[in-house]
Amino acid sequence: MREPEELLRKYGPWALVTGAAQGIGAEFAEQIGAAGLNLVLVDIDADRLREVCHSLRERYPVEIRPIVLDLRREDLLDSLLPEVEGLEVGLLVNNAGIAKVGPFLPQERGFLLDQLHVNTRAVLLLTHAFGSEMKTRGRGGILVVSSGAAWVGSALNANYAASKAWDLIFAESLWAELGEFGIDVLGFMPTSTDTATLWRHTPNAPKASVMSVEATVRSALHALGRQPSWFAGRLNRIAFRVLRSVLPRSLLIRFVSRSLRGMSNRPATSSDER
Ligand SMILES: NC(=O)c1ccc[n+]([C@@H]2O[C@H](COP(=O)([O-])OP(=O)(O)OC[C@H]3O[C@@H](n4cnc5c(N)ncnc54)[C@H](OP(=O)(O)O)[C@@H]3O)[C@@H](O)[C@H]2O)c1
């Protein structure tokens, strides 16, 4: 558990969280706000974002600036940066992501590109913009929310898993590069976490293995500044390490594919068994 004062001292006074209107992002806002950092909260969903801000304002004496913005926008930085001009953003949480479980070929190309734009392009642009300011100040923290899916390919998850692998390698690389400027970077891999999006895509996820948003976010904030990347959940870490070390890559991919078919209510196929 990280002391809230440490979060404020290392990364204050402002944090920017994307995808903050619900799920893991709303919990990042909760825990970072509780630590005393002012919040810039970005999301596409205006109503939910308003509710989150209202609830936080009632409980924490911090400044909160909601920004309703579509992270897919071509002019993303031109739209966002004027809204945060003059704010010292010392903590960037690239949380927003688009998940979808389903076969690759029937998906619309437009959707697949949207997924890449939110999961990777927006992360790239925000990290470049805010990272440059952090470098000038000689301090800061950048958290990139990847996924356990980044570790291995899987049927029904091609674009998402690949985008999350990009997130992970991007963050680990910047961890190695930006540390000398006083900037902590973390590639964070949640596994199944109790959000509406999780249950929409994987209704059969085994409940015992699903983490609360509270535990997932606590784990991320604890690992920032201590690791280049971090997998949420001790048992998950052990299970993935064991599976990776005992199974050949092809079997591992089939194993994960079969699990995902089961969790998303789709029948196994012959390619899972080969
Ligand atoms: N939950 C899990 O089990 C799990 C596991 C591994 C990794 N993750 C990762 O953790 C992060 C958060 O997951 P979550 O389950 O909390 O997601 P979530 O509940 O779907 O919340 C994501 C938020 O981001 C917003 N968003 C989506 N597209 C956007 C856009 N173009 N511009 C601005 N905001 C946008 C969503 O708004 P709308 O809903 O209105 O689109 C939503 O409010 C994601 O990166 C996800 O990939 C989650």
Side-chain angles (χ1 to χ4, degrees):
M1 178 75 183
R2 171 163 243 138
E3 292 304 322
E5 305 77 45
E6 190 193 351
L7 209 61
L8 181 59
R9 180 173 46 76
K10 285 189 82 172
Y11 308 121
W14 283 86
L16 186 149
V17 182
T18 65
Q22 60 176 318
I24 294 171
E27 181 64 23
F28 269 115
E30 176 79 32
Q31 294 190 25
I32 294 169
L37 281 85
N38 301 318
L39 295 163
V40 179
L41 302 181
V42 178
D43 204 285
I44 198 171
D45 186 329
D47 293 342
R48 280 214 178 95
L49 190 60
R50 199 176 310 112
E51 282 168 29
V52 166
C53 292
H54 178 70
S55 158
L56 290 169
R57 282 193 185 106
E58 286 201 322
R59 287 171 297 121
Y60 305 118
V62 297
E63 276 188 66
I64 301 178
R65 197 170 289 196
I67 300 181
V68 178
L69 179 68
D70 184 345
L71 292 163
R72 295 171 299 184
R73 280 178 76 128
E74 180 66 33
D75 63 347
L76 171 57
L77 289 181
D78 290 338
S79 310
L80 175 67
L81 295 182
E83 304 271 337
V84 296
E85 206 180 337
L87 304 186
E88 192 177 323
V89 175
L91 178 59
L92 170 65
V93 182
N94 287 298
N95 164 77
I98 299 182
K100 182 174 176 74
V101 177
F104 175 68
L105 293 177
Q107 291 181 49
E108 297 281 339
R109 282 181 211 129
F111 169 78
L112 293 166
L113 288 172
D114 283 350
Q115 196 174 32
L116 275 190
H117 286 160
V118 175
N119 295 9
T120 62
R121 177 180 177 273
V123 176
L124 173 81
L125 293 175
L126 297 185
T127 301
H128 192 264
F130 290 99
S132 303
E133 292 179 6
M134 289 174 194
K135 182 181 168 194
T136 306
R137 294 194 292 267
R139 62 193 278 274
I142 300 172
L143 219 148
V144 180
V145 179
S146 169
S147 166
W151 267 31
V152 62
S154 166
L156 306 181
N157 222 12
N159 198 40
Y160 177 77
S163 70
K164 292 296 174 175
W166 184 94
D167 286 334
L168 177 63
I169 299 301
F170 178 66
E172 287 183 337
S173 306
L174 292 183
W175 173 84
E177 195 175 312
L178 300 185
E180 66 172 302
F181 306 121
I183 304 174
D184 297 332
V185 185
L186 177 74
F188 178 64
M189 291 165 277
T191 48
S192 298
T193 301
D194 187 7
T195 68
T197 300
L198 171 85
W199 296 115
R200 193 162 60 245
H201 292 292
T202 52
N204 299 340
K207 287 205 168 58
S209 68
V210 174
M211 290 178 65
S212 67
V213 286
E214 196 275 334
T216 290
V217 167
R218 192 160 19 87
S219 164
L221 292 176
H222 181 80
L224 179 64
R226 295 187 164 95
Q227 316 278 345
S229 52
W230 191 241
F231 208 101
R234 190 161 163 271
L235 287 177
N236 294 328
R237 282 193 291 280
I238 295 170
F240 270 79
R241 276 200 200 110
V242 171
L243 285 172
R244 278 222 320 187
S245 61
V246 299
L247 290 181
R249 193 81 181 171
S250 56
L251 276 186
L252 182 58
I253 295 167
R254 287 198 179 112
F255 173 82
V256 175
S257 301
R258 199 164 51 227
S259 308
L260 192 56
R261 286 189 205 283
M263 288 197 291
S264 61
N265 240 341
R266 288 185 170 81
T269 72
S270 57
S271 51
D272 295 340
E273 313 301 334
R274 267 186 284 137

